[in-house]
Amino acid sequence: MGARPDGAAAPGANLLALRGHNAALLLGLLRAAGEEGASRLELAERTGLTPQAVSKITARLRADGLVVEAGRRASTGGKPRTVLRLVPGARHAVGVHLDRDEMVCVLADLAGRPTAVRRAPLDFGAGAEAVLTTAAGEVAALREAAGGPPVLGAGVACPGPLDHATGVLRQVTGAPQWDGFPLREALAARLGLPVVLDKDTNAAALGLSRAPEEVGGASFAYLHLGTGLGAGLVLGGSLYRGPHTGAGEFGHQVLQLDGPRCDCGRRGCVEALCLAAVARGDLPAAARVLGVAAANLVELLDIDRVLLGGRTVLAHPEVFRDGVARELADHAALRGRPPAPGSDPGAAPAVPVARARGGARTVADGAAELVLTGLFR
């Protein structure tokens, strides 16, 4: 069992075999409740667990230091209810973004808030030994600087393609020497921590999905333009990786037959066109290409919002936001996208475009969420 597609918690199961599942349900609800917290009765009502089961599980969570009693709610006629809250600092997760020329590490608490950050140069093309050595050194320094808090594991995000299920890299665009390398296993051995591996764009999209009020709906695309171009997709409230972690290779859709050669081996890919325009200093052209490709994605998936990130976007946020928004507005006008509920029936609203929160930490924050998701779901 897990979260229902509508976002509500799935019913709990009063079976010893599902103790871990039920604890994750309660922790997830307490995480979402934040400072307001929740009573045992409220947790029982929202999960379908019996009050006795909730009391037993929360007693274990309190003993583990994950949950604390935090006062009582004002009485509405009955006995005042004791409020339970998550203890964010009880555990932490490491998030690692391995970019092609830089590494960003964060230490995040159980609320997903970064408590420490490190950045260092990285040559991803230098091969496994160099990258593993740098990653191990930076993560050790990050944990030491934070005072060595208990850590659940490390989420690692890097360029794809890769296999999320096995933790093995495939023919990474521009770095084919990584093909077949078991990065998750190798990093777990170096770090002495459980490791979850995913594509950089998937990690970012997962982290962003934790703030539905910011992403503007249950389906959105995160477009990351930095040293390369890719997309993270959240569809119907869930991260969509595809059966082979192949979804989101957004940069390799062909927009121009016989266009410039891309590092993937084909010609006229949106990544090659975008990066070529950036290299010659024509940022409006790069934004237009990105916008045309984004409109293709909207046409294909009917998403609610487009979020932009990556160092190239962060260096020129208005140019890219406005350029992509213009292309999406043109697309809406031509295709007659249905108006949003409550809007002018005669309008043809474009899918909104915004810069993703987190700035240069967006991917690393999402990488930490790869670990935290395992605790809360």
Side-chain angles (χ1 to χ4, degrees):
M1 294 183 183
R4 296 206 307 256
D6 60 6
N14 293 295
L15 301 172
L16 289 177
L18 294 182
R19 278 176 53 174
H21 165 79
N22 291 332
L25 280 178
L26 297 185
L27 284 171
L29 290 172
L30 290 173
R31 188 191 199 197
E35 288 297 312
E36 183 179 346
S39 70
R40 292 174 177 83
L41 182 58
E42 289 167 338
L43 292 172
E45 290 171 347
R46 294 170 69 180
T47 60
L49 293 166
T50 65
Q52 293 85 355
V54 169
S55 292
K56 288 181 180 179
I57 296 169
T58 54
R60 292 198 303 270
L61 296 176
R62 289 175 59 207
D64 289 338
L66 296 170
V67 170
V68 66
E69 291 188 347
R72 296 177 180 271
R73 295 209 195 284
S75 174
T76 57
K79 181 180 178 181
R81 299 177 182 177
T82 300
V83 173
L84 300 173
R85 288 191 190 131
L86 183 71
V87 181
R91 303 288 189 280
H92 288 73
V94 173
V96 179
H97 177 197
L98 300 176
D99 205 346
R100 297 176 190 276
D101 58 2
E102 182 183 51
M103 176 180 176
V104 180
C105 301
V106 301
L107 189 68
D109 65 16
L110 294 182
R113 296 186 297 253
T115 59
V117 182
R118 284 183 68 88
R119 299 175 69 171
L122 181 75
D123 181 1
F124 194 72
E129 184 57 35
V131 170
L132 292 171
T133 298
T134 300
E138 289 300 312
V139 170
L142 179 80
R143 297 175 67 184
E144 182 179 359
V151 171
L152 296 168
V156 179
C158 68
L162 56 80
D163 188 327
H164 165 264
T166 63
V168 174
L169 295 188
R170 297 309 179 196
Q171 290 187 344
V172 178
T173 304
Q177 68 270 30
W178 282 98
D179 187 27
F181 186 79
L183 182 58
R184 183 180 67 194
E185 180 182 324
L187 275 173
R190 289 292 186 99
L191 301 179
L193 293 171
V195 170
V196 183
L197 178 71
D198 210 333
K199 290 197 298 188
D200 44 16
T201 49
N202 286 346
L206 177 66
L208 292 168
S209 69
R210 282 206 60 241
E213 69 282 359
E214 293 186 27
V215 299
S219 299
F220 69 89
Y222 167 72
L223 307 184
H224 185 96
L225 178 59
T227 55
L229 174 60
L233 305 173
V234 171
L235 305 178
S238 299
L239 177 66
Y240 182 72
R241 295 183 175 94
H244 309 293
T245 327
E249 290 298 322
F250 171 78
H252 301 297
Q253 55 175 302
V254 175
L255 293 188
Q256 181 183 336
L257 295 178
D258 301 321
R261 177 77 65 182
C262 180
D263 284 344
C264 74
R266 295 193 294 176
R267 290 186 175 274
C269 292
V270 60
E271 177 178 302
L273 295 170
C274 257
L275 295 180
V278 171
R280 66 176 182 265
D282 192 349
L283 296 176
R288 184 182 181 194
V289 169
L290 185 60
V292 169
N296 289 344
L297 199 60
V298 169
E299 185 83 2
L300 182 67
L301 298 177
D302 193 25
I303 53 179
D304 300 312
R305 178 164 294 215
V306 171
L307 300 176
L308 304 178
R311 72 178 66 171
T312 304
V313 168
L314 294 176
H316 311 280
E318 293 81 11
V319 174
F320 282 97
R321 183 197 61 213
D322 295 347
V324 172
R326 276 193 296 271
E327 292 301 324
L328 291 180
D330 288 347
H331 169 263
L334 288 170
R335 299 294 290 164
R337 181 178 172 84
S343 66
D344 178 1
V351 171
V353 181
R355 183 174 64 176
R357 62 180 171 84
R361 285 196 340 264
T362 300
V363 174
D365 287 349
E369 192 64 28
L370 290 169
V371 175
L372 296 176
T373 294
L375 179 67
F376 293 109
R377 295 183 186 176

